[in-house]
Amino acid sequence: RRGGPTAPHGESAIGFKLIGSLDRIDGKKIRLTFHLVDARSGEQIWAEEFRCAESGDELLLIRDEVPRRVAATIAEDRGAIQQHERDSLQGEHSPWSEAYRAVLLGYHFEQTMSPEAFLEAFEALSRAVEKNPECGQAWAMLSRLWSAHFSHELSGKPEGIDKALDCGHRAVALRPNDPSALASLAYAFLLNDRAEECRERADAALEKNPHTLFFMDTIGYLLTLSGDWDRGPMLSRRSIRLNPFPRSVVHAGLWLDAIRRGDYKGALSDAENFSDEGTFLRPLMRLTARVLSGQSDDEAVSAEVAELLAEKPSFKSDGQRLIRNYVKFPDIRSRIEAGLRGAGIHLEDGRGCEN
């Protein structure tokens, strides 16, 4: 539903309809078919079918997994509904509330990581929390924006972590059981070098939502980066197996774990599955794994070096600080820097690289 129990101008508050059907085929199999329809326009925006034996283990697996997969496919951050609504933002009139539209702009920024998208989302979210300070979802997204502003140094300086923490605390105070709010605060704690508090909030999100597919990838990522090398990668791999639209960051956590274990070929595989654009992380992950794995392709490495320096022209001077935002362990940072040196990038010392 959109905008609460009623919608503006007397319209139905139902935004989408999920329609399902079940029938038998060949007398031995069951077919489940699902369609997601925009209730306002009648447009079908997603459809899928599942087939299984009429009895036995296959039926039990379908019974347990299909609801989770369908829910993740249509309701995940990058699922069918969110993508459909992000596309609709280009129109002149949005049927969604201002706060929800602001949150969608936040998702749009996270996909593009452009300064222009940040400014548009920041202004919309700031207006949303000013008009409705009880909107925990908007506070959580605002925290995520400030965390990205800090960790990627969108202003050219490491600014915004205090604001990320403040917004994250506000989100958790308003929505203490919401994994999105808890994850936003956990991420701010991680960037603020408070790994134990990061793990505590990630654990709380998992405890309150033990079967969630929507945030299993994020929780796995946060646990991995904060040093839980057992549960973090385990949850990350499970989210990839169960969720058709896992967040790309799940591969960043697995890349880091593979670097830690010296599995550089595995690190390269995860780096190649990391699809977020507009960030220095993608070329950094790929070129370091490529060099450390001994699979250096001069043309590929040169292209990744060029992409890295295009995203962050100051990387040679600021790289140690940028890496340290995500990599909290000196031995792993040393391996990453060795990979960079193998690609011809020598980082300058003394810019926030203390152990």
Side-chain angles (χ1 to χ4, degrees):
R1 291 177 182 270
R2 52 193 161 97
T6 58
H9 310 302
E11 299 174 3
S12 168
I14 298 175
F16 298 91
K17 292 180 180 180
L18 178 63
I19 303 166
S21 64
L22 182 151
D23 62 308
R24 288 184 172 85
I25 53 176
D26 301 329
K28 296 179 180 179
K29 285 187 173 289
I30 289 176
R31 176 170 60 194
L32 292 166
T33 306
F34 296 93
H35 303 267
L36 183 68
V37 176
D38 186 325
R40 299 154 291 181
S41 65
E43 176 187 1
Q44 178 176 294
I45 62 175
W46 170 81
E48 190 166 345
E49 72 171 42
F50 302 88
R51 301 186 183 198
C52 69
E54 196 169 354
S55 61
D57 293 342
E58 191 176 345
L59 177 61
L60 293 175
L61 180 63
I62 285 288
R63 183 194 67 184
D64 292 339
E65 297 300 335
V66 164
R68 295 178 183 177
R69 289 183 62 84
V70 170
T73 299
I74 66 176
E76 179 58 271
D77 281 358
R78 297 189 179 184
I81 289 177
Q82 295 285 29
Q83 185 59 55
H84 184 72
E85 291 309 301
R86 276 193 286 269
D87 292 343
S88 76
L89 288 177
Q90 305 303 318
E92 294 182 3
H93 304 288
S94 171
W96 301 88
S97 69
E98 183 174 353
Y100 186 66
R101 187 176 187 277
V103 171
L104 287 176
L105 287 170
Y107 288 134
H108 175 66
F109 160 70
E110 290 181 333
Q111 283 195 324
T112 64
M113 295 299 293
S114 74
E116 296 79 14
F118 173 86
L119 183 60
E120 185 179 14
F122 169 72
E123 291 176 346
L125 285 163
S126 297
R127 288 193 301 268
V129 296
E130 182 179 0
K131 292 182 178 180
N132 184 8
E134 304 301 310
C135 184
Q137 189 178 13
W139 283 114
M141 180 55 76
L142 198 52
S143 175
R144 286 160 62 170
L145 252 67
W146 279 118
S147 288
H149 186 278
F150 170 80
S151 63
H152 289 268
E153 300 189 4
L154 296 181
S155 67
K157 300 178 182 178
E159 299 175 329
I161 190 60
D162 291 340
K163 294 176 181 177
L165 287 165
D166 178 62
C167 293
H169 279 298
R170 289 173 181 263
V172 170
L174 290 165
R175 301 168 68 101
N177 296 321
D178 181 4
S180 176
L182 290 162
S184 69
L185 181 56
Y187 186 42
F189 277 138
L190 176 76
L191 296 175
N192 199 223
D193 294 332
R194 295 157 70 174
E196 184 175 349
E197 290 168 278
C198 170
R199 286 193 297 272
E200 288 175 358
R201 297 316 187 281
D203 280 335
L206 187 61
E207 180 182 354
K208 296 176 189 299
N209 303 269
H211 303 298
T212 180
L213 282 185
F214 299 150
F215 287 93
M216 187 184 297
D217 47 11
T218 298
I219 295 169
Y221 169 73
L222 291 169
L223 289 174
T224 301
L225 265 63
S226 61
D228 190 332
W229 303 115
D230 294 323
R231 292 186 307 148
M234 181 271 292
L235 284 171
S236 297
R237 293 189 183 94
R238 185 164 183 253
S239 73
I240 292 171
R241 178 170 60 86
L242 296 177
N243 189 343
F245 293 101
R247 294 170 180 81
S248 189
V249 295
V250 74
H251 293 289
L254 290 173
W255 167 83
L256 186 69
D257 182 52
I259 295 288
R260 176 187 70 89
R261 293 182 287 104
D263 177 14
Y264 300 128
K265 290 183 179 180
L268 180 57
S269 176
D270 278 301
E272 290 175 337
N273 282 313
F274 181 83
S275 58
D276 286 2
E277 299 182 356
T279 167
F280 70 90
L281 288 174
R282 186 173 72 166
L284 170 69
M285 290 165 57
R286 293 182 180 184
L287 74 88
T288 53
R290 198 179 304 279
V291 171
L292 292 172
S293 68
Q295 299 185 45
S296 298
D297 176 285
D298 290 343
E299 185 175 344
V301 170
S302 296
E304 286 154 358
V305 168
E307 182 183 349
L308 175 61
L309 296 179
E311 293 292 347
K312 278 294 173 189
S314 62
F315 189 79
K316 290 182 180 180
S317 60
D318 297 340
Q320 286 187 333
R321 186 175 64 239
L322 291 165
I323 293 170
R324 194 178 188 281
N325 285 334
Y326 296 93
V327 185
K328 303 302 180 180
F329 305 93
D331 57 330
I332 305 178
R333 291 201 299 270
S334 295
R335 296 183 185 191
I336 292 169
E337 291 188 27
L340 288 168
R341 287 194 296 273
I345 297 180
H346 297 264
L347 303 182
E348 296 179 9
D349 293 330
R351 296 291 299 274
C353 58
E354 64 274 7
N355 293 346

